[in-house]
Amino acid sequence: DQQVKQNSPSLSVQEGRISILNCDYTNSMFDYFLWYKKYPAEGPTFLISISSIKDKNEDGRFTVFLNKSAKHLSLHIVPSQPGDSAVYFCAASFGNEKLTFGTGTRLTIIP
Amino acid sequence: DSGVTQTPKHLITATGQRVTLRCSPRSGDLSVYWYQQSLDQGLQFLIQYYNGEERAKGNILERFSAQQFPDLHSELNLSSLELGDSALYFCASSVDGSYTDTQYFGPGTRLTVL
């Protein structure tokens, strides 16, 4: 049972444009959400998080939006840069439960 | 560099064998997590330790076991290996192990079972 889903395995975006990565979840108990970025041959790196009491969190070029009613999370990257090319994982948790990860979206920024 | 180290980077072994993966957390972090990433899959949580004690368990097979030592490094033991155990195994660490605590990941160990 995939509780966190990233339905787009890949996404290509022109450099300088906005990249939007999407994530859906099924467990309404989740109250903390994160995005991780992963380069080849490296471990995932924490990018940004959001608590369920908020609907938006910004950190520089990265903004995460949370729509609790739709059980939907998105990551916006503006403007997209070549160094943003990586695999992006969303993850969710609640209480003392483990982090549940999505399967990832490979983002390619086209120069 | 996250500050989390994992050894070895690559491991090739045969079915039925036993291997040990090692993880050293970031300085000051008390909690260690183990994850498995199979081909085209998300990271699957295996187990978490906090200051030497098991804190949470995920979908860890009975053939797998782990422990965290007094110096806080951790080892994941995989035995009676099967072809399906081939995967990337990541270790992560965090300061206090709470669910909102940021986890810092090591570079992973790629296990290939032939």
Side-chain angles (χ1 to χ4, degrees):
Chain A
D1 174 30
Q2 194 71 26
Q3 296 189 63
V4 177
K5 299 176 188 178
Q6 293 178 258
N7 292 318
S8 299
S10 62
L11 176 68
S12 294
V13 174
Q14 209 77 35
E15 182 179 356
R17 307 293 289 267
I18 182 171
S19 295
I20 300 176
L21 296 103
N22 294 304
C23 179
D24 296 298
Y25 61 96
T26 56
N27 190 339
S28 57
M29 296 288 290
F30 287 142
D31 63 1
Y32 190 67
F33 304 87
L34 310 90
W35 284 94
Y36 277 83
K37 172 179 173 178
K38 185 183 179 305
Y39 292 120
E42 294 183 14
T45 303
F46 170 75
L47 203 51
I48 192 168
S49 64
I50 187 167
S51 161
S52 61
I53 61 172
K54 294 184 167 184
D55 54 19
K56 177 183 172 181
N57 189 25
E58 266 182 278
D59 184 1
R61 297 185 298 112
F62 302 92
T63 303
V64 56
F65 294 92
L66 176 62
N67 182 333
K68 288 185 288 293
S69 59
K71 295 195 183 71
H72 181 80
L73 187 69
S74 63
L75 174 69
H76 292 210
I77 306 173
V78 185
S80 300
Q81 298 174 355
D84 296 330
S85 294
V87 177
Y88 289 78
F89 292 97
C90 66
S93 70
F94 68 95
N96 286 321
E97 291 296 310
K98 57 182 171 62
L99 269 184
T100 300
F101 281 84
T103 51
T105 296
R106 182 178 302 278
L107 175 65
T108 302
I109 304 302
I110 305 163
Chain B
D1 183 357
S2 66
V4 178
T5 60
Q6 289 187 248
T7 56
K9 276 195 161 172
H10 302 276
L11 201 47
I12 301 174
T13 188
T15 54
Q17 295 298 304
R18 182 179 191 276
V19 297
T20 298
L21 313 183
R22 183 188 167 103
C23 168
S24 292
R26 291 187 326 154
S27 176
D29 284 359
L30 297 178
S31 196
V32 168
Y33 310 76
W34 285 97
Y35 291 87
Q36 179 192 57
Q37 185 185 19
S38 302
L39 193 64
D40 293 333
Q41 298 292 310
L43 283 80
Q44 300 291 321
F45 170 73
L46 296 178
I47 197 162
Q48 178 196 4
Y49 281 84
Y50 175 77
N51 206 19
E53 300 288 326
E54 182 183 305
R55 176 171 273 193
K57 216 165 186 175
N59 300 322
I60 187 166
L61 299 172
E62 284 191 17
R63 301 183 285 108
F64 296 2
S65 65
Q67 59 185 126
Q68 186 180 28
F69 294 87
D71 67 352
L72 301 177
H73 91 271
S74 178
E75 292 180 359
L76 178 67
N77 300 296
L78 316 176
S79 61
S80 303
L81 285 167
E82 301 175 0
L83 295 177
D85 297 327
S86 295
L88 264 171
Y89 291 85
F90 289 104
C91 166
S93 72
S94 71
V95 174
D96 64 16
S98 65
Y99 81 108
T100 57
D101 201 16
T102 299
Q103 295 182 30
Y104 295 88
F105 283 78
T109 293
R110 182 173 294 280
L111 173 66
T112 303
V113 182
L114 300 175

